[in-house]
Amino acid sequence: MPSSSSSCSMKHQVFLSFRGETRFNFTAHLLKALKDKALNVFFDEHTLEIGKKLLPALSQGIAASNLSIIVLSKDYASSKSCLAEVSDIMDRNRSEGHIVLPIFYHVDPSNVRNLGGSFKTSFEDHESKRPTDEVKRWKDAFAKVGKLKGIHIQDNKSETEYIQDIVDDVTRKLMNTAPRITSEKLVGIDDQKKMLLGLIEQADIRVIGFWGMGGIGKTTLANAVYEEVSPKFECRLFLKDVSEKIKKQGDESLRNELLSKLLDEKEICIDTPFISYPYQDRLNNKKVLLVLDDVRNPDQIDFMGVKYFGTGSKILVTSRDRQVLRNGRANHIHEVKKLNKNDSLQLFSTFAFKLLNPVVDFQDLSCKFVEYAQGSPLALKVLGSNLYTKSKKEWESEVDKLKQYVEPKISQILKSSLDGLGELEKNIFLDVACFFKGEKMDIVEKILSNYYMGAVCGIRNLADKCLLDSVDGYHISMHDMLEEIGKDIVRQKCKENPGKCSRLWFPEDVDQVLRYNQGTVSIEGIKLDMSLIDELQLCPSVFENMFNLRYIYFYKPEIGKEDWNPKLHANQVDSVSLPNKLRYLCWDYFPFKSLSSFNSKNLVVLKLRYGNMEKLWNEDDHMVCAFIFSSSKFFMEKQFII
């Protein structure tokens, strides 16, 4: 008995068994059609290595294949080697579940089942020449093949149509019986995949957009859907990293490459903006499944000629920019969901421990990394891989590092989302990252609109690019990793001299600038958690050199306020000089008694809690969006919205 397929590496997907009478017609055409579908076919002596004996090599070919096609022609049973193949194939069908597809080529299936017609004559001839037990094995196997569901080729339609049916059936059988992928890449996407598969079945859905931030799993989800439905399409192609490839090789080169593969024609060369005849007509005859991955410009979709694809074609487009998908005429835009906590922990554990769940001693630390990743598969994979086999002490160090630095592999992907942003969007992104994450959306819009022309539109554009979002529809937010990237962009420009940074939030930097009066015209905003610095005395001119200062946000955490000792003190003065460009002034325990010298014409928000205010200004001299004073000598829990 030949060696089993479990001891032989799979080299072929299909084993083709046939009699010589069909070699140069039907079988030759079937072989070409299978190869055109990129199927690896074992085809008698053409696939054998020199020096191999015929029967052992054929047996190994069967063992190394997933599926066998048996072309049963009128003279098939006259061949001893063909019957030996059938016997081996059916043995593996019984013992290993080997897939068998019989093709009844102008023969009656009942004659195969019952060993009738020309097959009866062939077996009678074998019985007179071969051992009885051998012929009995052949007859039993042959009869079993006749009982299998196969394809009966008659004269009612062309052989070309029959061959297409066979190829479709083979592809479907191979896909359905392939082992289910349990890869870490597919954690948590089943529900989304099921919904998208339903959309693909809808005739009026042609272009489906996959939208989400970098690293959220758009490509993985698109690939899972592609693998599931690809057997139903005549032509299929997954074009990865479209924008990057266009940048490297040009859009015409990439389109020519795409058309060559779809039309099975070498070296197509179209150097005009539009696809012309006869390629339009040829594409129109094709039912195509195409994935365009990482598209950043809607023109890239049209340029690939998708409008010429035939009826029933489906185009799946992944992008970080929702507006690109809208302009690309997507019939449906699916927002790829973040992983939930359980799926996140499983994915992280797969890389960090090579297990589905974290090791007990690392449970709490694992949860910290999962919380940091906020459902991003990319972050979970990178963080988990970096921690594999490391000690608990190293894990704790990594947790501390993430408070300031994003892992380079993650940062590289996310930073690319900032490419192509205009100056307005860049500044809004940095302002939110440094100052306004978690603040009320309407207030942030008013603050930014008071300084930036078109701020509301800029915020919407950033949301479409997955760089901003809203937690509950009322508060502006962004992923923690994007926040850290934004802050890192600012800090990299002024590492050695925080006084030259455009935005300050790091406690040590703020302390240095305020304590030593190092403010400059470069500073546009300051945010400070006052619990993280030592006490210091502020001179009245501390802000005088910060002519472009727009935001001051000095706050105390809400916890433990009854035991709070103010950190910032007025140095024997009642007022402080503030720049006229100030839009946002939030200062808990404001140490000065007056803002009388401040021109508040640009101020949008004023929030002074628990301070010592005694005098504000002439109420006719300002237009402020919101005032909040609490626990001061002259103001108790007053709030005004104008």
Side-chain angles (χ1 to χ4, degrees), residues 111-130:
N111 284 337
V112 179
R113 287 193 298 273
N114 302 318
L115 309 180
S118 63
F119 305 124
K120 179 180 180 181
T121 304
S122 295
F123 279 108
E124 287 175 349
D125 184 56
H126 292 313
E127 285 173 334
S128 66
K129 299 175 182 178
R130 306 294 298 178

Side-chain angles (χ1 to χ4, degrees), residues 40-202:
N40 191 3
V41 183
F42 189 108
F43 182 71
D44 70 24
E45 70 272 9
H46 293 294
T47 314
L48 299 184
E49 298 175 13
I50 296 173
K52 292 275 188 180
K53 291 184 178 180
L54 183 63
L55 288 180
L58 287 172
S59 182
Q60 290 170 19
I62 296 167
S65 301
N66 306 86
L67 177 149
S68 289
I69 297 175
I70 306 174
V71 181
L72 295 160
S73 55
K74 292 180 180 179
D75 202 27
Y76 185 91
S78 66
S79 167
K80 296 185 289 293
S81 62
C82 284
L83 293 174
E85 289 172 23
V86 167
S87 179
D88 197 350
I89 288 168
M90 295 310 293
D91 279 344
R92 294 185 187 281
N93 171 262
R94 175 184 54 80
S95 62
E96 302 169 12
H98 183 82
I99 308 167
V100 182
L101 176 62
I103 308 299
F104 302 101
Y105 186 74
H106 297 293
V107 298
D108 190 335
S110 65
N111 284 337
V112 179
R113 287 193 298 273
N114 302 318
L115 309 180
S118 63
F119 305 124
K120 179 180 180 181
T121 304
S122 295
F123 279 108
E124 287 175 349
D125 184 56
H126 292 313
E127 285 173 334
S128 66
K129 299 175 182 178
R130 306 294 298 178
T132 303
D133 58 341
E134 182 181 42
V135 176
K136 185 178 185 305
R137 282 200 309 273
W138 291 349
K139 292 170 71 173
D140 290 345
F142 198 79
K144 287 177 183 177
V145 172
K147 295 176 183 178
L148 295 176
K149 182 179 180 181
I151 294 177
H152 185 191
I153 294 181
Q154 305 176 76
D155 294 325
N156 58 340
K157 63 180 181 179
S158 70
E159 288 193 356
T160 300
E161 292 177 283
Y162 276 119
I163 286 172
Q164 185 60 53
D165 292 342
I166 295 169
V167 172
D168 290 344
D169 195 27
V170 167
T171 308
R172 187 164 48 251
K173 281 180 164 61
L174 290 173
M175 289 293 294
N176 291 340
T177 57
R180 178 67 62 181
I181 298 174
T182 56
S183 165
E184 66 280 348
K185 293 181 180 179
L186 303 185
V187 171
I189 70 169
D190 284 347
D191 290 342
Q192 295 186 78
K193 187 176 84 167
K194 183 177 180 181
M195 186 274 292
L196 289 161
L197 290 173
L199 284 175
I200 285 179
E201 294 299 321
Q202 297 180 26

